[in-house]
């Protein structure tokens, strides 16, 4: 394999951007560090600190389901500015969102590590600048909030649980001004995250539709162009032994394990640093939803079909701007 090395005289800004992305990548390794550190506390001389934290964890257990505990200081760290500039990540507004309403934003596609969702909704001022009066909540798998210490870190960035209780808490807030961001395809969709892939796991995903109806939250389709181009993934077509293993592990553990790679720090041929591919996260126009506490199956199906129609329209209207060939379309 031929290894292509990066130039030695890398500008300072480029180096800072790479460090920022490394910090983001290693945030996932922080999960293991936090768990390991907690075990050390339990087994070491500082076991009483572990006991105190367990008491705190018990008392604070519901927080990820009740709006979390965001920190504007963490969300505005300078490192996130360089993180967004590395790709770069952009948030594109197509329509005003009235802050007197609550919204459910469906984010597509998942990609490998959901970089666009994190960069746009958990860091920096872009969302509040474009949509004043709205507070975004990025819903992620509840399992991540079970890890000691790590849960505090992700909550500080504005992430909350993806449980029904958590989504209801956000969408039930009176006076409007709150936006739940849900990655509709979930962990399963990350297994389709190959460069150029336009396959979305959404036909059987209707829970978010029911939640929007029950709370009268306006639905907003969001498509993140470039999300699937950040990493290369080992070929895993449907029916292959690798895909079967990945799907079984995903059902057991609750999260998927895509085998991905990209570039390194000083060479462009292999590593875990994502490629410098621009991400343009386009926020579509809202679909008005009337509150219906007991929606019928037919009503859910109708709104789901309308959502798919609006999502496809959003993609078709913007694909030319972001390098998608005219003949390519979304696959549901």
């Amino acid at each position: 394999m031929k290894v292509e090395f990066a130039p030695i005289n890398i500008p300072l800004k480029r180096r800072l951007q790479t460090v920022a992305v490394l910090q983001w990548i290693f945030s996932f390794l922080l999960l293991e560090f936090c768990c390991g550190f907690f075990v050390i506390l339990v087994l070491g001389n500082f076991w009483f600190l572990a006991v105190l934290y367990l008491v705190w964890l018990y008392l604070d257990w519901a927080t990820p389901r009740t709006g979390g505990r965001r920190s504007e200081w963490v969300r505005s760290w300078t490192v996130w500015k360089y993180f967004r500039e590395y790709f770069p990540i952009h948030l594109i507004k197509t329509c005003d969102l009235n802050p007197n309403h609550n919204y459910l934003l469906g984010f597509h596609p998942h990609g490998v590590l959901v970089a666009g969702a994190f960069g746009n909704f958990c860091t920096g001022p872009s969302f509040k600048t474009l949509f004043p009066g709205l507070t975004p909540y990025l819903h992620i798998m509840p399992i991540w909030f079970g890890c000691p210490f790590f849960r505090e870190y992700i909550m500080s960035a504005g992430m909350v649980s993806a449980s029904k209780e958590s989504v209801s808490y956000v969408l039930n807030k009176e006076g409007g001004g709150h936006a739940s961001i849900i990655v509709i395809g979930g962990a399963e969709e990350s297994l389709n995250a190959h460069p150029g892939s336009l396959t979305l796991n959404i036909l059987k995903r209707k829970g978010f539709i029911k939640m929007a109806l029950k709370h009268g939250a306006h639905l907003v389709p969001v498509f993140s162009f470039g999300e699937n181009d950040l990493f290369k993934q080992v070929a895993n077509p449907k029916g292959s032994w690798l895909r079967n293993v990945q799907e079984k592990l995903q059902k057991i553990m609750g999260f998927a394990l895509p085998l991905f790679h990209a570039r390194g720090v000083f060479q462009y041929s292999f590593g875990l640093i994502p490629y410098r591919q621009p991400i343009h996260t386009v926020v579509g126009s809202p679909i008005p939803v009337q509150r219906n506490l007991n929606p019928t199956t037919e009503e859910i199906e109708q709104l789901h079909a309308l959502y798919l129609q609006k999502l496809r329209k959003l993609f078709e209207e913007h694909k030319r701007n972001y390098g998608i060939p005219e003949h390519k379309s979304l696959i549901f």
Side-chain angles (χ1 to χ4, degrees), residues 162-184:
S163 65
K164 291 181 181 179
E165 181 184 350
S166 177
V167 177
S168 293
Y169 182 88
V170 174
L171 299 183
N172 247 347
K173 285 180 173 287
E174 296 182 2
H178 301 276
S180 282
I181 296 97
I182 301 178
V183 184
I184 304 300

Side-chain angles (χ1 to χ4, degrees), residues 104-315:
L104 195 160
L105 279 62
F107 184 91
H108 313 270
H110 184 288
V112 171
L113 296 177
V114 209
F118 178 76
N120 285 311
F121 304 121
C122 293
T123 74
S126 295
F127 185 85
K128 284 204 168 186
T129 300
L130 294 176
F131 303 102
L134 281 183
T135 300
Y137 299 82
L138 179 60
H139 295 269
I140 65 174
M141 294 175 60
I143 190 174
W144 302 122
F145 297 99
C147 177
F149 306 117
F150 184 73
R151 68 192 295 274
E152 322 302 335
Y153 173 68
I154 57 179
M155 275 197 290
S156 67
M159 299 184 212
V160 292
S161 171
S163 65
K164 291 181 181 179
E165 181 184 350
S166 177
V167 177
S168 293
Y169 182 88
V170 174
L171 299 183
N172 247 347
K173 285 180 173 287
E174 296 182 2
H178 301 276
S180 282
I181 296 97
I182 301 178
V183 184
I184 304 300
E188 184 182 356
E189 193 173 84
S190 66
L191 300 178
N192 293 328
H194 297 272
S197 173
L198 296 173
T199 300
L200 303 181
N201 288 8
I202 191 173
L203 289 181
K204 296 181 180 179
R205 308 258 173 169
K206 299 173 184 176
F208 74 104
I209 298 291
K210 188 174 182 179
M211 293 298 289
L213 281 166
K214 290 182 71 173
H215 299 287
H218 295 355
L219 279 168
V220 182
V222 178
F223 195 87
S224 195
F225 292 89
E227 194 75 42
N228 283 340
D229 300 327
L230 306 184
F231 298 93
K232 291 179 180 178
Q233 192 173 164
V234 175
N236 59 343
K238 281 281 188 180
S240 65
W241 70 269
L242 176 57
R243 186 60 167 260
N244 290 336
V245 170
Q246 288 174 319
E247 290 176 346
K248 287 179 181 177
L249 288 175
Q250 189 259 325
K251 290 178 181 178
I252 294 171
M253 299 184 297
F255 56 90
L257 291 173
L259 299 179
F260 61 91
H261 65 89
R263 52 160 289 191
V265 178
F266 300 113
Q267 46 80 27
Y268 297 131
S269 301
F270 190 82
L272 293 179
I273 299 178
Y275 295 114
R276 285 182 182 271
Q277 295 290 341
I279 298 173
H280 294 88
T281 302
V282 184
V283 181
S285 56
I287 303 170
V289 178
Q290 295 296 322
R291 189 171 188 180
N292 184 347
L293 293 177
N294 296 294
T296 64
T297 302
E298 183 180 358
E299 289 169 331
I300 293 172
E301 292 286 350
Q302 287 178 350
L303 184 55
H304 187 260
L306 177 59
Y307 180 86
L308 293 183
Q309 177 186 331
K310 294 292 186 180
L311 175 60
R312 188 181 294 278
K313 181 182 178 184
L314 177 71
F315 174 81

Side-chain angles (χ1 to χ4, degrees), residues 43 48 267:
L43 299 179
F48 60 93
Q267 46 80 27

